[in-house]
Amino acid sequence: MRKTAFTLFFVLLCIVFGFSQETLTPTDFLSKNFHKSRREALRNKMPENSVAVFFANPVRNRANDVDFIYHQDPNFYYLTGYREPHAVLLIFSEDQIEGSKAYNEVIYVQERNKKKELWDGKRLGIKGTQEKLGFVKVFNGSDFEKSTLDYKGFDKVFIFDFKDDYRNSKKNSADLFDLVSQFKEKASFDRSLISNPEKDRAYQLIKTTEIENSANVAQIIGRYLDYFPELKKDELLQGYQNAQSNELRKEYQQKVNLIIAAKPKTNIDILSLEAYMSSLREIKSPEELKLLKKAIEISAVGQIEIMKAMHPNMSEAEIQGVHEFVYKKYGAEYEGYPSIVGGGHNGCILHYIENNKTKVGNDLVLMDLGAEYRGYTADVTRTIPANGKFSDEQRAIYDIVYAAQEAGIAELTVGNNFSVSHQATEKVINKGLLKLGILKSLDENHNYYPHGSSHHIGLDVHDPGEYGTFKANMVITVEPGIYIPENSNCDKKWWGIAVRIEDDILITDKGPINLSARAPRKADAIEKMMQQKSVLNGFVLPKLD
């Protein structure tokens, strides 16, 4: 009787207070009004008589019948809030008339399916997409094939280039493979008319950049040539990159413009969406900043907790686990990217993700990790001595990197160019390495600092942006580093030392704000933090055979 009475009382509480499975899930995702405002902002950038078409990310198979945890395409999520696969979004520059009704956007989503939802979880379907995401015109994905929209009637059809690296499920006639195939047929997508997307992107960048900013674009073109070696055969790209004056770069720009004008005509545009979305996403709204700050704070706390828990017998995997446990404890869904934990020489590998060293010993441990919270990703790096005390050599390198980071952060003022901050870090590092005798001269060509110092963060750890001048409400990293692999051309006492310090900086009209400052950066502060007791000290597992 008591049990029955208690059960009835609990059910009554649930009814009164509205407890349900729904209320026990996160409620602080971006609002539907945010996503709607982003669609409107994109629409305002689009030329007349155009349509932008976005596809959800593919499902990735992990092994056999097990898939990786699904992660939505950031642009698709930014514009919709929809977190399921097999979906298409259409945004029109002007109202489309259907009967007596007008619409300027359409989304096709996964159809509700009780059997599938038993295995994979509840789907929004048409009604849920309308109610929770604020769309009016919503269809099931299976309706996309029936659409009679005439893509040829638009002056521009904007898409991101297809990777064509997704599976075709025989069990789903409206999966991403089918949706893309149907679109290609409807829009008369002809790959031969879109010569080389990388070259086209580089040409478009040259064409649309004001000549006074051409030096910065030349640097970007240089990175293109490194990423896509086949482009090095292009004389115009090589010439533009190597030009020593704005006048000469303008001549190459004019030649590029002529080539673009002579290209075969198609209304399919695979370049402009990247520019549109980059200009939108590089500036964070207050709603975005709230989530991004939470992700950064969580990541900073993770760095603090491992500083307190660290000891020489720890493995890289255990260090990674402490960070990621903190993330989960705060309710962060995922890591924003594969966690990097490099002890000693492993820290010299910039994207080292194996994390399989069984003991870090007395080495420095480079920890580059970031929590993803409600889709927004932090990127925070600390390098600490596993035994709690920097050696003289470790501290000497560390202090140079710290000074370089301070110099880089100081340049994050509205209106400054992206390259200025990197140049400031590079100058400090070169002077410091020269003073230690690791470099023989300031202009010595070396690979001890082989990467850039900054990138945008947001829905991607490397968020898109125009990488021109700093603007208020950008959030970027500043991450100088020094890496001295074994057999480097310097005294052996420096070999195996790797230091990177990375913080996430909000740019404001009043100056830069370090959002990850909670995690100590100075060498003395790190050593002091490492002397504190860890809540994990008493967490001892039984030995296994």
Side-chain angles (χ1 to χ4, degrees):
M1 182 66 183
R2 282 184 182 175
K3 184 176 181 180
T4 303
F6 176 79
T7 302
L8 289 173
F9 178 69
F10 182 75
V11 170
L12 181 62
L13 282 177
C14 289
I15 294 172
V16 172
F17 291 103
F19 290 169
S20 68
Q21 182 62 34
E22 193 70 24
T23 60
L24 296 178
T25 57
T27 58
D28 56 344
F29 286 97
L30 294 168
S31 69
K32 60 184 178 183
N33 289 332
F34 168 83
H35 299 296
K36 183 179 180 180
S37 73
R38 298 298 82 201
R39 297 194 297 275
E40 191 60 38
L42 173 59
R43 190 176 289 112
N44 290 337
K45 288 181 175 292
M46 294 165 57
E48 292 182 0
N49 194 34
S50 63
V51 58
V53 184
F54 295 83
F55 292 87
N57 252 353
V59 175
R60 299 296 188 188
N61 185 255
R62 184 178 186 273
N64 197 13
D65 61 348
V66 177
D67 294 325
F68 284 103
I69 295 173
Y70 184 72
H71 196 282
Q72 186 58 277
D73 173 78
N75 284 318
F76 199 94
Y77 179 72
Y78 183 79
L79 295 169
T80 67
Y82 189 76
R83 292 181 285 135
E84 298 175 28
H86 310 306
V88 187
L89 170 70
L90 281 70
I91 298 178
F92 302 94
S93 56
E94 295 90 21
D95 284 351
Q96 307 295 298
I97 307 300
E98 188 176 86
S100 60
K101 295 183 178 180
Y103 64 94
N104 56 18
E105 57 192 22
V106 184
I107 188 169
Y108 294 83
V109 299
Q110 282 195 122
E111 190 170 357
R112 295 293 306 275
N113 183 314
K114 289 184 178 180
K115 187 176 180 180
K116 291 289 186 182
E117 291 178 48
L118 174 66
W119 289 92
D120 301 326
K122 187 177 179 180
R123 299 176 177 181
L124 283 180
I126 292 176
K127 187 176 179 181
T129 303
Q130 290 172 330
E131 292 178 352
K132 294 189 176 182
L133 301 183
F135 282 90
V136 175
K137 200 171 183 65
V138 186
F139 296 97
N140 288 320
S142 56
D143 294 320
F144 187 65
E145 187 175 19
K146 306 170 191 174
S147 168
T148 58
L149 184 68
D150 181 16
Y151 292 93
K152 297 176 186 176
F154 292 96
D155 293 334
K156 288 288 183 180
V157 178
F158 298 112
I159 61 171
F160 284 98
D161 195 19
F162 298 109
K163 304 301 181 185
D164 295 333
D165 56 351
Y166 27 78
R167 295 184 175 186
N168 182 17
S169 172
K170 296 179 181 179
K171 299 178 181 179
N172 186 356
S173 61
D175 65 2
L176 182 64
F177 182 94
D178 294 307
L179 296 173
V180 170
S181 299
Q182 292 157 13
F183 167 79
K184 287 181 176 180
E185 183 177 351
K186 292 174 183 293
S188 300
F189 179 80
D190 186 347
R191 201 70 186 72
S192 65
L193 297 180
I194 306 169
S195 55
N196 182 322
E198 285 77 33
K199 181 188 287 188
D200 290 346
R201 193 170 290 112
Y203 275 19
Q204 196 68 27
L205 188 60
I206 291 172
K207 176 185 176 181
T208 57
T209 300
E210 298 293 337
I211 203 64
E212 55 265 26
N213 293 325
S214 62
N216 189 47
V217 172
Q219 290 184 347
I220 297 173
I221 296 299
R223 291 199 289 271
Y224 265 86
L225 299 183
D226 289 336
Y227 294 150
F228 308 105
E230 69 274 11
L231 296 185
K232 291 182 178 180
K233 300 175 183 177
D234 189 290
E235 293 181 2
L236 292 182
L237 293 180
Q238 285 278 18
Y240 188 92
Q241 182 207 4
N242 296 325
Q244 298 300 308
S245 67
N246 284 350
E247 290 75 15
L248 189 54
R249 280 189 287 268
K250 188 171 184 178
E251 291 181 20
Y252 281 107
Q253 184 185 53
Q254 291 169 346
K255 293 177 181 178
V256 165
N257 291 345
L258 290 174
I259 291 177
I260 291 175
K263 281 187 63 177
K265 301 302 179 185
T266 174
N267 69 343
I268 302 290
D269 184 328
I270 66 170
L271 299 177
S272 296
L273 267 190
E274 183 174 346
Y276 293 158
M277 296 307 297
S278 292
S279 66
L280 290 177
R281 286 176 57 187
E282 71 175 3
I283 306 296
K284 279 22 182 211
S285 71
E287 196 171 349
E288 290 180 283
L289 286 174
K290 184 177 180 180
L291 298 178
L292 190 49
K293 287 176 180 178
K294 186 74 172 283
I296 294 167
E297 282 279 290
I298 291 170
S299 304
V301 172
Q303 293 284 359
I304 290 171
E305 291 306 316
I306 194 59
M307 287 179 188
K308 293 187 287 188
M310 180 76 77
H311 56 79
N313 289 325
M314 271 187 134
S315 69
E316 291 174 341
E318 187 178 357
I319 295 166
Q320 174 185 349
V322 172
H323 282 273
E324 294 176 7
F325 172 72
V326 172
Y327 300 172
K328 298 297 185 185
K329 192 73 174 172
Y330 278 112
E333 293 88 347
Y334 316 108
E335 303 79 56
Y337 52 96
S339 297
I340 298 170
V341 179
H345 175 74
N346 290 339
C348 296
I349 304 169
L350 299 182
H351 287 170
Y352 171 77
I353 59 174
E354 286 79 4
N355 303 344
N356 59 11
K357 191 173 185 177
T358 56
K359 288 185 180 181
V360 290
N362 294 324
D363 286 331
L364 288 179
V365 182
L366 189 156
M367 305 173 296
D368 185 339
L369 305 97
E372 180 183 312
Y373 186 83
R374 309 298 184 256
Y376 283 81
T377 294
D379 191 1
V380 181
T381 305
R382 292 293 182 266
T383 306
I384 67 176
N387 62 7
K389 187 75 174 175
F390 288 95
S391 71
D392 291 343
E393 288 78 15
Q394 291 170 349
R395 182 181 279 262
I397 298 297
Y398 188 93
D399 286 346
I400 294 172
V401 176
Y402 176 82
Q405 191 193 34
E406 287 285 280
I409 292 173
E411 297 294 343
L412 303 189
T413 58
V414 172
N416 249 2
N417 193 282
F418 248 85
S419 60
V420 173
S421 179
H422 177 74
Q423 290 166 4
T425 64
E426 198 171 42
K427 185 176 180 180
V428 172
I429 284 176
N430 286 342
K431 284 186 175 180
L433 292 178
L434 178 65
K435 186 175 181 180
L436 294 179
I438 296 173
L439 294 184
K440 306 300 183 290
S441 67
L442 274 179
D443 58 356
E444 179 181 339
N445 187 24
H446 66 86
N447 209 34
Y448 298 128
Y449 180 22
H451 57 75
S453 64
S454 297
H455 58 79
H456 292 279
I457 60 170
L459 288 170
D460 284 304
V461 66
H462 288 181
D463 226 34
E466 296 177 321
Y467 287 88
T469 57
F470 295 128
K471 302 169 188 173
N473 293 327
M474 286 181 172
V475 182
I476 71 166
T477 65
V478 178
E479 51 174 313
I482 294 175
Y483 316 88
I484 310 178
E486 294 176 6
N487 300 313
S488 293
N489 185 27
C490 63
D491 194 307
K492 288 184 179 181
K493 68 181 181 180
W494 306 111
W495 291 4
I497 295 179
V499 175
R500 180 161 68 249
I501 312 172
E502 179 178 19
D503 284 88
D504 301 338
I505 312 298
L506 171 64
I507 297 173
T508 76
D509 290 321
K510 296 180 180 180
I513 299 173
N514 187 347
L515 300 179
S516 47
R518 179 190 289 256
R521 290 189 300 136
K522 291 184 178 180
D524 287 340
I526 288 172
E527 290 180 346
K528 184 177 180 180
M529 181 63 73
M530 294 185 74
Q531 293 172 13
Q532 293 190 23
K533 290 183 179 180
S534 168
V535 294
L536 298 172
N537 287 346
F539 184 58
V540 180
L541 296 173
K543 289 186 178 181
L544 303 177
D545 294 334

